[in-house]
Amino acid sequence: MRPWTIAALAVAAIVGLGYIHPFGDPRVEPAKGLDTLLLDANMPPNARAVLIAKCADCHSNETKWPVYARIAPGSWLIERDIVKAREEMDLSRWDQIPAEKQGVFKAKIVQEAKSGDMPPLQYLALHWAAKLSPADVQALAMLGRRSGGSDTTLAGPGDPARGNAVFEKRCTGCHALEVDREGPRLAGVYSRKAGSVAGFTYSAGLKKSGVTWDETTLEKWLSDPDLMVPDNNMSFSVPKAADRQDLIAFLKQVK
């Protein structure tokens, strides 16, 4: 067989394999335009703009498909990452997500933006402009804040049972009690020194803060983590004073 024939067959095979989708075909969902994303989302305009500019390429149906995205086996890896990204969070379906789940997503967005986990390195290698700037991170951090700030601290003990419900609703996007996730494990956090869970990577600011978690410090932290420790990876505040009070009561009893 002649060399050019072999080359032609090889090219045909590579192109043909690009139309096989072992991880699913993310191209089947039609694009409707970036301007259709997050139209009714309850979030600051700057945060919405960053999500569309820096995240929608993988986390929505508005993916821009370069020519090399049809060349196997690289195309399979690209499609795999996009399928997984949309399964994690799909901005094209934001309005179909319950409000509580949206809150969990917002917390994860802020945490991953602050920690530098997103966008992933394999994406940045080909899309360097998607790197989040300090201004982008600041804009996304506003997803964790409520307009008007947090309520004034309440006096008296909280209710641990209600605090458990607050934990499930507000914290489980990044935290668990017994294992580290995006945030450190929270069992035993009460009376623990900040930044002290072995094996977890904390921000330098939190490790150097000298804070020990008690009712006073947890109240300040949950009310406004950026005000308490500017260099932190905390993703969310708890603006309602009663929720903070109950959540602290719950964390106090979880050993």
Side-chain angles (χ1 to χ4, degrees), residues 174 176-186 197-200 202:
C174 297
L177 292 177
E178 302 295 340
V179 296
D180 298 334
R181 294 179 60 194
E182 290 87 349
R185 72 198 75 164
L186 292 183
V197 172
F200 187 81
Y202 292 91

Side-chain angles (χ1 to χ4, degrees), residues 131-145:
K131 183 177 176 62
L132 294 177
S133 69
D136 292 336
V137 174
Q138 184 62 36
L140 292 176
M142 298 306 295
L143 291 170
R145 295 173 178 266

